[in-house]
Amino acid sequence: MILRRDILVKAANFCAYQERTHAEVRERLQKWEVWGDEAEEMITYLIEDNFLNEERFAKIFAGSKFRVKQWGRQKIKYELKARKLSEYCIKVGMAEIDDDDYIETLKTILEKKKHELRTEKQPLIVKQKLARYAIGKGFEGELVWEIIAQIMQKK
């Protein structure tokens, strides 16, 4: 049987490898057969020693999913909620996304996608495909249609 101190070290290493949420750590502790008060004590220790910080997780997650994968706010928010983060942490994470960068990213991905669709002759089909693509990436429908109108005027 593994000593509980060893499990705490494993949990600390698990958190040090990459940012984690409380739920992810709790789930991993259950795999290691640590439940209840003992698991909560370990989580408290990890929080106090700054191995575990959900605000930091939300900031890094939101920022990287936006910059690297070019996800929209809706998809990022949905993923943060799915990871059981508090509304406060979600709000902190979403603040990492600059409004101007957000619009520029949306314009860039739509223009790139429009270029890929250059063989399509029907403008309405192009608009529909662009909208479906951007909305699927988590961008807000109203904003997507506004930007599509701008880039379709450019020709």
Side-chain angles (χ1 to χ4, degrees):
M1 180 169 164
I2 300 173
L3 295 171
R4 294 302 181 198
R5 179 145 174 69
D6 290 347
I7 291 177
L8 187 57
V9 170
K10 280 174 70 173
N13 288 335
F14 179 67
C15 294
Y17 179 71
Q18 79 180 43
E19 291 299 327
R20 309 284 181 179
T21 65
H22 297 181
E24 289 171 325
V25 174
R26 202 169 278 115
E27 188 178 301
R28 184 55 59 110
L29 288 173
Q30 287 174 354
K31 282 184 181 178
W32 295 331
E33 299 180 3
V34 178
W35 296 278
D37 290 343
E38 189 175 12
E40 295 306 315
E41 284 177 27
M42 287 186 182
I43 289 171
T44 301
Y45 169 82
L46 294 170
I47 292 168
E48 288 172 354
D49 280 11
N50 210 21
F51 283 103
L52 195 56
N53 183 326
E54 286 191 334
E55 276 184 52
R56 188 173 61 213
F57 173 88
K59 285 179 178 181
I60 291 169
F61 184 90
S64 66
K65 293 299 181 193
F66 171 66
R67 283 186 290 281
V68 178
K69 296 206 175 203
Q70 296 178 324
W71 284 5
R73 287 186 174 124
Q74 289 182 320
K75 188 169 184 174
I76 294 169
K77 202 177 284 189
Y78 174 82
E79 286 294 324
L80 290 172
K81 284 180 182 178
R83 294 169 195 279
K84 301 178 180 130
L85 278 120
S86 68
E87 284 300 317
Y88 171 76
C89 288
I90 291 171
K91 192 174 182 180
V92 168
M94 298 310 288
E96 287 295 298
I97 302 170
D98 179 69
D99 290 340
D100 294 335
D101 291 343
Y102 190 72
I103 290 168
E104 278 307 308
T105 298
L106 178 56
K107 283 180 183 175
T108 302
I109 67 169
L110 285 172
E111 286 170 354
K112 183 178 176 186
K113 188 68 173 176
K114 182 183 173 201
H115 183 72
E116 290 173 15
L117 298 171
R118 67 186 174 276
T119 58
E120 180 59 61
K121 301 297 181 213
Q122 297 282 330
L124 289 176
I125 292 174
V126 172
K127 286 179 182 181
Q128 182 184 28
K129 287 182 177 183
L130 289 174
R132 190 178 304 135
Y133 177 71
I135 290 168
K137 287 184 80 68
F139 289 90
E140 299 82 350
E142 194 174 307
L143 181 61
V144 168
W145 285 108
E146 185 180 313
I147 302 299
I148 287 173
Q150 289 175 17
I151 67 170
M152 292 303 281
Q153 287 176 347
K154 287 183 186 177
K155 291 283 178 189

